[in-house]
Amino acid sequence: MPVEPPIETPASLADAYAALAGSTADAPIIPIAGGTDVMVRITGEIGEPPARMVDLSRLAELRGITVDGTAVIIGAATTYTEMRRSDVCREHLPALVEAAATIGAAQIQNRGTLGGNIVNASPAGDTLPVLLALDAAIVVGGARGERTVPAADFWVAYRRTALAPDELVLRVRIPVAGGREARFRKVGTRRAQAISKVVLALAWREDHGAPASAWSDVRLALGSVADRPIRARATEAVLEGATPTPETADAAAESLAAEIHPIDDVRSTADYRRVVAARALHRMIRDAGGW
Ligand SMILES: Cc1cc2nc3c(=O)[nH]c(=O)nc-3n(C[C@H](O)[C@H](O)[C@H](O)COP(=O)(O)OP(=O)(O)OC[C@H]3O[C@@H](n4cnc5c(N)ncnc54)[C@H](O)[C@@H]3O)c2cc1C
């Protein structure tokens, strides 16, 4: 019978930082938000169970969705259900809302948080390509102060992040860019309760009111095709300055199939992932071009 690990429930961020003091890579004190990833590990059947935990649920500093003119700011402990229901997210971040709607099912969306998805750092984490494509900045904090890590620098290796063991993710800043478009596509075995075989997010800018104008600031990010969520920079270069024509879609799909190096695993094969990622990108460009 597994023993339930001791858990502290700090009432303030300062108390949470104090509770995390002494957390190291070898002896981590595990923050718990929604618990939808942590509780799966609690029996010890999947990896090392947490020895000590810090509950983040009372920290008002980690909650809420606001917009400040240049960015949408989402507290780390914001749930998927809150993002789906948020007028701010629906207006400015429809691709993130779409990603949130594909995660687990209602129970997971009610508990699971954006911060948990970020720190769990699964290569298949569904919000992570969206954060990469939208140039999100991840604000982290600890007893030594706060710092901001661009999403592009946050996932550093397989399930490893730029976060120190005694730091928390506090919030995510997602720039609100005029004329930016973004699309999300998840491919899994089912429409709910499915871990992604491939997940893509594509963002670009175009002149307002001119959908056939050349794309700029193109960002293409993928999950489940590498040991961490990645940007496909060679394919971004193919799309930068291009218009969404059939020729562009063909060139971008060919580029992406050559650029990614997925693996075979229990959920899918490398070949399937490569072909599906290229087809999904082709479809996104076709939809954007309206042909
Ligand atoms: C049935 C089921 C279905 C699922 N389906 C999907 C899916 O479709 N797509 C998907 O991407 N994921 C899925 N997940 C995984 C999970 O729900 C998500 O990753 C979720 O976002 C985790 O959030 P949480 O708040 O529950 O994290 P927790 O379990 O509380 O924590 C996850 C990790 O993040 C750390 N952590 C949490 N918050 C912070 C913080 N603010 N600062 C520092 N560290 C923090 C914890 O220490 C832990 O390491 C599923 C899980 C289950 C059980």
Side-chain angles (χ1 to χ4, degrees):
M1 200 55 186
V3 179
E4 212 170 281
I7 182 161
E8 285 190 53
T9 303
S12 72
L13 202 50
D15 288 349
Y17 293 156
L20 285 167
S23 180
T24 63
D26 292 336
I29 301 168
I30 305 293
I32 178 167
T36 60
D37 282 312
V38 170
M39 294 307 282
V40 174
R41 304 204 308 258
I42 205 112
T43 63
E45 288 161 289
I46 308 171
E48 196 62 28
R52 285 174 64 190
M53 298 198 289
V54 175
D55 175 11
L56 306 181
S57 63
R58 293 202 190 155
L59 303 181
E61 297 94 327
L62 302 189
R63 305 197 75 88
I65 301 170
T66 54
V67 58
D68 74 0
T70 61
V72 174
I73 299 134
I74 305 178
T78 303
T79 66
Y80 298 111
T81 299
E82 287 165 342
M83 287 185 273
R84 290 187 71 184
R85 289 183 180 161
S86 156
D87 290 340
V88 169
C89 287
R90 287 212 292 252
E91 181 182 345
H92 296 288
L93 307 171
L96 184 62
V97 170
E98 215 181 309
T102 71
I103 290 183
Q107 299 91 330
I108 295 295
Q109 291 173 20
N110 286 340
R111 300 279 322 169
T113 65
L114 184 61
N117 207 224
I118 290 169
V119 180
N120 191 53
S122 162
D126 285 316
T127 67
L128 313 184
V130 182
L131 300 181
L132 282 169
L134 297 183
D135 280 332
I138 297 166
V139 183
V140 309
R144 295 178 299 281
E146 291 187 12
R147 62 194 178 99
T148 298
V149 184
D153 298 333
F154 194 81
W155 299 283
V156 296
Y158 177 66
R159 287 191 174 267
R160 298 274 305 271
T161 74
L163 200 65
D166 60 352
E167 283 181 317
L168 293 173
V169 171
L170 304 180
R171 56 192 173 273
V172 178
R173 283 185 66 90
I174 304 177
V176 179
R180 182 180 63 198
E181 294 283 334
R183 301 285 185 274
F184 171 83
R185 177 83 166 96
K186 167 174 174 170
V187 180
T189 307
R190 298 170 296 272
R191 291 181 73 82
Q193 300 288 26
I195 300 176
S196 293
K197 293 172 190 275
V198 173
V199 51
L200 290 87
L202 174 67
W204 70 92
R205 283 167 65 139
E206 60 191 26
D207 286 341
H208 240 15
S213 66
W215 287 7
S216 60
D217 294 338
V218 179
R219 304 278 185 273
L220 173 62
L222 295 98
S224 290
V225 300
D227 65 351
R228 69 198 89 167
I230 57 162
R231 290 255 306 266
R233 291 176 192 268
T235 305
E236 289 176 359
V238 170
L239 289 167
E240 188 71 29
T243 50
T245 62
E247 295 72 28
T248 300
D250 289 347
E254 193 180 325
S255 167
L256 186 61
E259 182 174 7
I260 57 175
H261 302 285
I263 57 165
D264 293 332
D265 67 12
V266 288
R267 285 195 299 282
S268 192
T269 65
D271 282 349
Y272 179 84
R273 288 181 157 118
R274 197 178 300 107
V275 170
V276 162
R279 292 308 304 170
L281 176 62
H282 198 279
R283 170 68 71 92
M284 282 175 168
I285 298 167
R286 189 181 87 185
D287 289 349
W291 40 274

